[in-house]
Amino acid sequence: MTQNAIEINGLSKTYAAQRGEPAKTALNDIDLTVPAGSIFGLLGPNGAGKSTLINILAGLVRKSAGSARIWGFDQDVNPRQSRASIGVMPQELNMDPFFSPRAALDVQAGLYGVRKADRRTDEILEMIGLTDKANAYSRTLSGGMRRRLLLGKALVHRPHVLVLDEPTAGVDIELRQMLWQNIRKLNQQGMTIILTTHYLEEAEEMCDEIAIIHQGRKIAHDQTSNLIGRLDAKTLVIQPVAPAPDHIDLPAGVALSRRADGALALSYRRNETAAEDVLDAVRAAGIRIHDVASEDPHLEDVFLALTSSAGDDRAA
């Protein structure tokens, strides 16, 4: 096992001008490392460059500059080994409608040069819950079943790195839980997982580290807990015994919002204001406290703060 499953240095991609449209820079000097054995989140708004980066790693798009190593193999020096080290579950439901799941997995294994004796078709079909549909036409499968089949196809050659591009987009809760159960199991077996998703609560729960790219640039990369900790925010949610007065004198920097159930949500920066000062101001307003709870920021808050500030910096 290598220390890093993915090592990217100075990766850039510029698409040439076409039909009167100017050239477009999709990736701009990206440096990124993905630790082996981790679950790694690659996040960004639509059009940030995530799909371009994934397609470069998969060997589907040629980079304009920089280097990429997958499981220690440089794409330029050992292209076959680097491609064999990665499996991609794409977002698009691309498959031959006349192939059965069994045939689709066998064909995919053949494309990677997996000998018949080494194929794990039945094992994969069982893992993705398609054993009973093994010989049905793919066109008869539901959307969720097709998404499971995409996961199976990405696993036929035993990759060291698995990329999941929006794996739970548009799927129901039952399928989402099944997918995450399988992903955790694969990760426990040593597989490195790279996840792109717009469901930020999934990334917050699943990922050890997260990188955020915006407008083709990496704007953040850290352990998930550290990334959330960058947003120095806290909210005290106070449920008063009786309706609170219209005006409350609060310390500078404390913002008050009133919730539908009558609770007071008091947000502040932990490095500037102490929780005790907030509570003292509430008591000084004559408010008796029935219950109090605290809320920490979530990944979504950090994501919005970072992408908004990056856009402002670009505009400036």
Side-chain angles (χ1 to χ4, degrees):
M1 177 182 288
T2 62
Q3 182 177 0
N4 292 316
I6 302 286
E7 295 178 352
I8 294 172
N9 293 291
L11 191 66
S12 298
K13 174 61 181 180
T14 300
Y15 291 98
Q18 295 184 25
R19 299 179 182 179
E21 295 290 331
K24 178 184 177 182
T25 299
L27 294 175
N28 193 337
D29 197 26
I30 297 284
D31 293 332
L32 191 64
T33 58
V34 177
S38 67
I39 300 181
F40 189 94
L42 181 63
L43 309 181
N46 290 332
K50 304 186 301 296
S51 294
T52 298
L53 193 153
I54 289 171
N55 287 334
I56 289 174
L57 293 177
L60 302 176
V61 171
R62 291 186 178 181
K63 61 185 181 294
S64 300
S67 65
R69 299 175 68 88
I70 303 173
W71 211 251
F73 297 109
D74 190 299
Q75 279 191 324
D76 297 327
V77 179
N78 303 107
R80 292 186 63 184
Q81 290 90 334
S82 67
R83 290 184 187 182
S85 297
I86 191 169
V88 178
M89 178 184 174
Q91 181 178 356
E92 297 80 12
L93 295 175
N94 295 325
M95 59 188 63
D96 191 313
F98 297 101
F99 276 18
S100 67
R102 182 184 300 281
L105 294 179
D106 279 337
V107 169
Q108 188 78 358
L111 292 174
Y112 278 97
V114 181
R115 298 181 303 174
K116 287 187 177 181
D118 296 329
R119 295 178 188 176
R120 303 177 299 136
T121 303
D122 289 333
E123 176 186 338
I124 292 174
L125 285 169
E126 182 177 358
M127 185 192 77
I128 61 178
L130 290 180
T131 299
D132 60 338
K133 298 288 185 180
N135 298 310
Y137 284 131
S138 294
R139 70 174 185 270
T140 67
L141 302 179
S142 67
M145 291 177 181
R146 295 182 187 186
R147 194 161 293 281
R148 281 185 261 168
L149 181 55
L150 291 179
L151 173 60
K153 291 175 66 175
L155 297 172
V156 295
H157 58 297
R158 299 178 184 268
H160 297 293
V161 182
L162 176 63
V163 179
L164 306 172
D165 190 4
E166 299 288 347
T168 58
V171 305
D172 59 32
I173 294 175
E174 183 179 358
L175 175 56
R176 182 174 299 179
Q177 291 176 341
M178 180 182 184
L179 283 170
W180 288 132
Q181 183 179 4
N182 286 333
I183 295 312
R184 287 190 176 96
K185 185 182 299 183
L186 291 168
N187 180 247
Q188 290 168 0
Q189 294 170 356
M191 186 175 291
T192 303
I193 310 295
I194 299 177
L195 167 68
T196 78
T197 180
H198 284 95
Y199 299 111
L200 299 185
E201 68 277 7
E202 288 185 346
E204 182 174 344
E205 179 183 352
M206 295 288 296
C207 296
D208 306 309
E209 293 188 16
I210 287 174
I212 299 175
I213 59 176
H214 184 50
Q215 297 179 346
R217 295 180 179 273
K218 183 183 74 175
I219 60 173
H221 176 199
D222 209 334
Q223 294 182 4
T224 304
S225 58
N226 292 342
L227 198 59
I228 294 173
R230 291 188 186 187
L231 199 60
D232 178 36
K234 189 83 172 181
T235 299
L236 286 181
V237 181
I238 293 173
Q239 190 71 51
V241 173
D246 292 336
H247 178 74
I248 304 172
D249 288 323
L250 296 171
V254 179
L256 168 64
S257 63
R258 298 172 188 264
R259 299 187 174 177
D261 62 354
L264 306 175
L266 301 131
S267 301
Y268 58 95
R269 294 190 175 277
R270 286 172 289 190
N271 288 338
E272 298 175 359
T273 305
E276 188 63 30
D277 294 336
V278 178
L279 293 173
D280 285 345
V282 171
R283 296 189 187 98
I287 299 172
R288 293 181 59 208
I289 299 174
H290 173 71
D291 195 13
V292 62
S294 64
E295 295 178 351
D296 290 317
H298 295 286
L299 181 60
E300 181 177 353
D301 303 312
V302 180
F303 179 87
L304 291 173
L306 289 173
T307 53
S308 297
S309 63
D312 294 342
D313 293 343
R314 183 67 60 88

